[in-house]
Amino acid sequence: MEIEPHMLVEGVAIGSYAIGGEDAFIYIRGEYTVAADRLEQAIAEAEQAGILGDNVFGKGVRSKIHVFRGAGAYICGEETALLESLEGKRPMPRSRPPFPAVEGLYRRPTCVNNAETLSNVPHIIRNGQEWYNTIGVPPRNTGPKIFCVSGRVNKPGNYELPLGSLTFRELIEEYAGGVIDGRPIKGVLPAGISAPIATGAQLDAKLDYDSVAAAGTMLGSASFIVLDDTVPIPWAAARMIEFFRKESCGKCTPCREGTQWLHKTLVRIQDGGGREEDLDLLLSVSGEVSGKVLCALGDFATSPVTATIRSFRDEYVKHIRSGKSFNGTWSPA
Ligand code: SF4
């Protein structure tokens, strides 16, 4: 959006035309001012060139694109919460059915797609499906993917690569410059903090949706957070749950109360007041949240707890027995 805004604008215009839509909305977090400004400029240029507007290419077709700047709630990544926000309401996910394709924005049939997906459309139209299928791993993992790498690496950044073309370790070593100070990788969160942490042999899995799922986690947004051996897991888990506690929209009791409870317990462990039985309590509370909520945020919120206890139970126990406190802070060794 910042560097090639016309790619997305063209994809949205083609998508609108394909479904007979006249108005399309690009929903973007309000903090991303550079991207939003450049999209608005690209839309103005396309209107001036007659590619968008009330009479596209003089063919009597109306196609308008509007940029909507959101207020920065994570839940707006959920499509029905996004629609509520677009309508000017508090962004709480809707009960489904009806699904947006039947009753979406302003109760009109609405197609919600990801910006990354739509940006592929102009290239597929230009070069054909056969060409697209030569990128990645057919039949289900084709095309390029933007891998965003952050955390304890030397070169954090966005790397666009074919799906399935490399492993977790290769992405970190060959593109992200390796781990800071050459330290060992402790774990990788492949879809931000929503995905179960990948460790050990999982890091040799190829980076496509099916291979990552077979390794027991998920690729999702491919927003990788790399943890090295200096990062204490009880501290990291408390930070992750704190995020979900704040971002829970509060509509479902298990998510609203469960994330509070998980956070309080993890903070107590982090601060040196944990008991070994807290680990089973955390798993029990997670079980009462996951699968019993309206949207995926509630399910994802338990991953930092269940996956870190599964992979790092010994570290939790050692920390609890030590009585050591991070006092909410930690800095790299
Ligand atoms: S799961 Fe959480 S974020 Fe999703 S609707 Fe329920 S309370 Fe809101």
Side-chain angles (χ1 to χ4, degrees):
M1 288 189 282
E2 290 183 2
I3 297 166
E4 295 214 34
H6 280 286
M7 198 193 300
L8 175 59
V9 169
E10 190 179 346
V12 174
I14 294 169
S16 291
Y17 182 70
I19 62 167
E22 294 194 342
D23 284 279
F25 296 82
I26 299 176
Y27 188 101
I28 181 166
R29 287 181 73 113
E31 301 96 314
Y32 302 155
T33 52
V34 174
D37 289 348
R38 290 186 183 165
L39 280 170
E40 282 168 348
Q41 190 189 335
I43 291 165
E45 288 166 359
E47 284 191 355
Q48 224 168 17
I51 296 167
L52 290 175
D54 290 319
N55 188 15
V56 175
F57 294 128
K59 303 273 186 192
V61 174
R62 181 176 186 275
S63 183
K64 300 284 271 188
I65 301 179
H66 315 270
V67 175
F68 184 96
R69 300 178 193 225
Y74 181 74
I75 192 62
C76 291
E78 196 283 336
E79 61 180 7
T80 60
L82 183 153
L83 295 174
E84 289 285 292
S85 174
L86 266 177
E87 291 182 4
K89 300 177 197 153
R90 184 175 170 182
M92 283 179 154
R94 298 175 181 171
S95 301
R96 284 143 290 172
F99 290 92
V102 176
E103 202 174 283
L105 186 65
Y106 305 122
R107 301 193 172 268
R108 304 285 300 275
T110 304
C111 182
V112 185
N113 279 115
N114 182 281
E116 189 180 12
T117 303
L118 288 166
S119 297
N120 283 308
V121 172
H123 302 288
I124 297 171
I125 296 284
R126 192 170 299 118
N127 300 306
Q129 181 196 333
E130 296 301 318
W131 163 81
Y132 192 77
N133 285 345
T134 63
I135 305 168
V137 189
R140 286 165 36 90
N141 293 275
T142 50
K145 182 78 187 159
I146 298 173
F147 298 96
C148 169
V149 190
S150 66
R152 302 278 298 150
V153 290
N154 288 309
K155 280 170 47 190
N158 294 310
Y159 302 96
E160 186 173 18
L161 298 158
L163 277 167
S165 61
L166 76 179
T167 65
F168 283 83
R169 285 189 204 282
E170 288 164 347
L171 176 68
I172 293 164
E173 294 300 329
E174 292 172 24
Y175 290 89
V179 176
I180 294 171
D181 296 332
R183 300 198 72 100
I185 302 170
K186 188 166 191 173
V188 178
L189 297 148
I193 61 173
S194 299
I197 191 167
T199 60
Q202 289 172 300
L203 302 176
D204 295 315
K206 288 280 188 192
L207 294 177
D208 60 71
Y209 294 101
D210 290 337
S211 303
V212 175
T217 180
M218 68 174 194
L219 187 58
S221 59
S223 312
F224 290 71
I225 302 172
V226 179
L227 311 185
D228 67 13
D229 65 336
T230 67
V231 182
I233 289 296
W235 173 86
R239 296 287 70 69
M240 292 186 247
I241 288 293
E242 181 182 17
F243 174 82
F244 285 118
R245 178 181 67 81
K246 286 181 177 161
E247 295 292 342
S248 168
C249 81
K251 189 165 183 169
C252 321
T253 305
C255 174
R256 184 184 64 238
E257 302 300 325
T259 51
Q260 301 267 358
W261 197 353
L262 292 173
H263 183 235
K264 268 188 197 170
T265 309
L266 279 165
V267 166
R268 187 158 46 72
I269 293 173
Q270 166 204 269
D271 288 348
R275 302 163 303 206
E276 283 182 49
E277 56 268 34
D278 283 338
L279 300 180
D280 290 332
L281 173 69
L282 287 167
L283 293 175
S284 164
V285 174
S286 297
E288 296 305 324
V289 177
S290 185
K292 299 181 175 72
V293 288
L294 195 56
C295 87
L297 186 145
D299 295 325
F300 292 157
T302 61
S303 286
V305 174
T306 54
T308 57
I309 292 179
R310 188 170 59 236
S311 299
F312 297 98
R313 186 179 264 269
D314 290 350
E315 183 178 338
Y316 274 107
V317 171
K318 196 170 159 202
H319 176 73
I320 289 168
R321 287 183 185 164
S322 76
K324 190 176 156 192
S325 170
F326 295 109
N327 288 322
T329 60
W330 163 81
S331 44

